[in-house]
Amino acid sequence: MTIRQGIKTSSPSLTTFLPAKINPPQIRNTTPLHPLPMAIRTYQTLLKKPTFQLSPTPLPFQSHHHPKTTCAQYIASRPRDPTFEKLMEDYKNLLKVISIQDLILSSPHLSIPLHFLSRLSQKLHLNRGAPSFIRKYPHIFTLFYNPSKSQPFIKLTQTATLISTQESAAADSSKSAAVHRLVRLLSMSAAKSLPLRAIFKVWRELGLPDDFEDSVISQNPNIFSLSDAHEPNTHLLKLVPKCPNYNFVFVPVVENWRGKQCDGDFMGEDSEIRFSFKQGYPPGMRLSKDFRVRVKEWQRLAYLGPYEEIGEGRRNKGGKKAVEKRAVGIVHEFLSLTVEKMVEVEKISHFRKWFGIDLNIRDLFLDHPGIFYLSTKGKRHTVFLREAYERGCLIEPNPIYDARRRLLDLVILGRRNGAVGNLQLGGIGGRDGDELQEEDED
């Protein structure tokens, strides 16, 4: 009889697991006679364990490679700039205020129920609820009780309404500049066209009126045209071939800085300024000698400008570094066309394919900290054009930026009294100071 034939699982005693012809006292100091069930149980136990517990020990001849840096680690290790971080700390709440303001202005009665905003608290990232956020900014929002509806409502204060009116008036009065910005934006695309949904993503950043599809596009049929795209519910905004600027090669904004650096001198083939970008690094960032050498070589590298057509014969000329520098030039020009010289990374990514950028946009910003600054405040990634800012403010402001800055000043003011621009803000009556607790919105 074999060992397997002698195994009986019906009784737990040791004698039942032994062959019938072998007496128990005759077997001493031997290995267990039932290895098969134990092996099966051990194998099944190992199969149930997670795979990370079964990782083998590296062999002596195996090389120990360091793990690759992930995108999150790369972003976390970037040098911080306190000025931009402080600006975004306030700006993240401004974006929430603008979202609520748009809801109020789109309402027929210029007010919305409090419970309606409470339902949107999670979507708008109002972490402590709508009532707490509204009470935090009494210079912007007014909470009142509507007897006919038997519920509280929210509306804008007179100061916030005035600032909103000023911004709309500034956008309406600068429609010619908005047309020029749209033409330049379309000219950076090889097909002289962009999806309309991408324009809607950045209409506020470009300083367009909220009805720009009618007031800007439809009012200029000799410049713009709309056509159906290959995707459903999508239209393409195109430059009309007969447009005077259709084949015009615009001069990039960076050339203004290069001209000032040369002070009127001719920029020859060997000039260090001819293909350079203005660099300004975060305070405290260590610039090694090797880093400075690489930046100097990159500054002298020739590349195709954002408005130059890149043909098949010129596509491979210059290698990857020239392709990367062209992408830097395109994004630099894009940010220069915005009224605040800043934009969310997610929004600019919608133009990547149309601009012929085959690189990761976020990595592009991180690789060039002297030109761009990437902030992650407010659960969003926002990129700034460094050279356009000084001490947290635009060096060359515009009327639309001025109006938005006044609204930002109201956000920074919070519940305190003071003045915003030429607007004098009085006291806030009828409030219970104990009820209005300070909060820090993430």
Side-chain angles (χ1 to χ4, degrees), residues 1-3 5-8 15-24 26-27 33:
M1 178 182 297
T2 63
I3 294 179
Q5 291 174 345
I7 293 176
K8 297 181 180 180
T15 57
T16 57
F17 286 87
L18 300 175
K21 294 182 180 181
I22 300 178
N23 295 323
Q26 297 178 357
I27 301 180
L33 299 181

Side-chain angles (χ1 to χ4, degrees), residues 204-246:
R204 194 185 298 272
E205 286 80 357
L206 294 175
L208 301 177
D210 53 1
D211 61 341
F212 74 94
E213 192 174 0
D214 297 326
S215 61
V216 175
I217 298 177
S218 299
Q219 294 296 323
N220 296 276
N222 59 326
I223 301 177
F224 306 111
S225 67
L226 286 174
S227 62
D228 294 333
H230 299 291
E231 302 177 10
N233 300 325
T234 303
H235 293 84
L236 286 180
L237 178 63
K238 296 182 178 181
L239 277 181
V240 176
K242 296 182 180 180
C243 173
N245 295 324
Y246 187 82

Side-chain angles (χ1 to χ4, degrees), residues 34-35 38 119 147 153 187 212 233 262-263 323 369 388-389 409 421 439:
H34 52 287
M38 179 60 70
R119 293 202 303 265
F153 274 67
S187 299
F212 74 94
N233 300 325
C262 291
D263 196 17
V323 174
Y389 278 82
D409 291 339
E439 63 172 336

Side-chain angles (χ1 to χ4, degrees), residues 356-401:
I357 300 177
D358 296 331
L359 306 173
N360 187 302
I361 294 288
R362 187 178 289 104
D363 290 347
L364 196 70
F365 299 141
L366 295 173
D367 291 341
H368 299 276
I371 305 175
F372 311 109
Y373 183 76
L374 182 67
S375 174
T376 59
K377 289 284 186 180
K379 299 180 181 179
R380 54 174 52 86
H381 292 179
T382 307
V383 61
F384 292 85
L385 186 62
R386 295 190 62 91
E387 64 188 68
Y389 278 82
E390 184 178 6
R391 297 181 180 179
C393 299
L394 272 187
I395 299 176
E396 299 178 0
N398 53 77
I400 299 178
Y401 168 80

Side-chain angles (χ1 to χ4, degrees), residues 331-343:
V331 178
H332 184 282
E333 188 71 10
F334 186 97
L335 288 171
S336 300
L337 295 177
T338 61
V339 294
E340 296 180 272
K341 316 307 177 192
M342 58 179 285
V343 71

Side-chain angles (χ1 to χ4, degrees), residues 71-362:
C71 183
Q73 292 173 339
Y74 191 22
I75 294 175
S77 64
R78 77 193 188 281
R80 302 294 203 280
D81 193 317
T83 302
F84 285 107
E85 290 299 315
K86 178 62 175 67
L87 175 60
M88 278 306 301
E89 184 70 27
D90 301 321
Y91 205 88
K92 66 180 184 181
N93 286 332
L94 173 65
L95 296 177
K96 301 174 186 179
V97 168
I98 291 176
S99 299
I100 301 175
Q101 176 184 268
D102 291 343
L103 291 175
I104 295 175
L105 294 177
S106 61
S107 174
H109 302 287
L110 299 180
S111 62
I112 57 174
L114 180 61
H115 76 87
F116 171 75
L117 184 62
S118 297
R119 293 202 303 265
L120 300 176
S121 296
Q122 186 175 2
K123 184 178 180 181
L124 298 178
H125 303 292
L126 308 181
N127 299 333
R128 298 193 179 184
S132 179
F133 188 84
I134 293 301
R135 293 190 181 102
K136 186 180 179 181
Y137 303 108
H139 294 297
I140 303 176
F141 302 112
T142 297
L143 188 62
F144 67 98
Y145 184 79
N146 190 332
S148 61
K149 301 292 183 180
S150 300
Q151 58 179 324
F153 274 67
I154 307 167
K155 66 179 181 179
L156 294 177
T157 62
Q158 293 182 356
T159 304
T161 303
L162 177 60
I163 293 176
S164 176
T165 303
Q166 291 174 348
E167 180 181 350
S168 300
D172 290 337
S173 62
S174 60
K175 287 182 181 179
S176 59
V179 171
H180 181 71
R181 284 192 290 267
L182 271 182
V183 171
R184 292 178 75 104
L185 198 67
L186 291 168
S187 299
M188 286 194 290
S189 171
K192 299 291 191 297
S193 61
L194 291 170
L196 189 61
R197 67 170 184 272
I199 305 295
F200 271 109
K201 291 280 185 180
V202 294
W203 71 271
R204 194 185 298 272
E205 286 80 357
L206 294 175
L208 301 177
D210 53 1
D211 61 341
F212 74 94
E213 192 174 0
D214 297 326
S215 61
V216 175
I217 298 177
S218 299
Q219 294 296 323
N220 296 276
N222 59 326
I223 301 177
F224 306 111
S225 67
L226 286 174
S227 62
D228 294 333
H230 299 291
E231 302 177 10
N233 300 325
T234 303
H235 293 84
L236 286 180
L237 178 63
K238 296 182 178 181
L239 277 181
V240 176
K242 296 182 180 180
C243 173
N245 295 324
Y246 187 82
N247 294 319
F248 182 76
V249 179
F250 290 96
V251 178
V253 178
V254 69
E255 293 294 341
N256 297 332
W257 172 80
R258 292 170 182 169
K260 294 178 181 179
Q261 296 301 308
C262 291
D263 196 17
D265 296 337
F266 175 70
M267 289 187 293
E269 294 290 338
D270 298 331
S271 175
E272 295 184 0
I273 303 297
R274 185 182 181 190
F275 300 107
S276 296
F277 289 86
K278 186 177 181 180
Q279 303 281 342
Y281 298 96
M285 179 179 176
R286 295 182 179 180
L287 305 178
S288 63
K289 183 178 179 180
D290 180 65
F291 178 81
R292 293 176 184 274
V293 171
R294 286 188 283 111
V295 170
K296 187 175 181 179
E297 293 177 353
W298 186 86
Q299 292 277 60
R300 297 175 64 94
L301 180 66
Y303 73 102
L304 293 177
Y307 299 107
E308 298 182 65
E309 294 185 3
I310 177 168
E312 294 297 330
R314 308 173 70 182
R315 187 175 298 274
N316 298 325
K317 186 178 180 180
K320 293 183 179 180
K321 290 185 179 180
V323 174
E324 177 192 0
K325 194 167 185 179
R326 172 179 167 83
V328 170
I330 292 175
V331 178
H332 184 282
E333 188 71 10
F334 186 97
L335 288 171
S336 300
L337 295 177
T338 61
V339 294
E340 296 180 272
K341 316 307 177 192
M342 58 179 285
V343 71
E344 291 182 30
V345 177
E346 183 270 336
K347 293 181 179 180
I348 197 173
S349 297
H350 289 272
F351 298 87
R352 188 172 64 90
K353 181 184 71 173
W354 297 87
F355 291 157
I357 300 177
D358 296 331
L359 306 173
N360 187 302
I361 294 288
R362 187 178 289 104

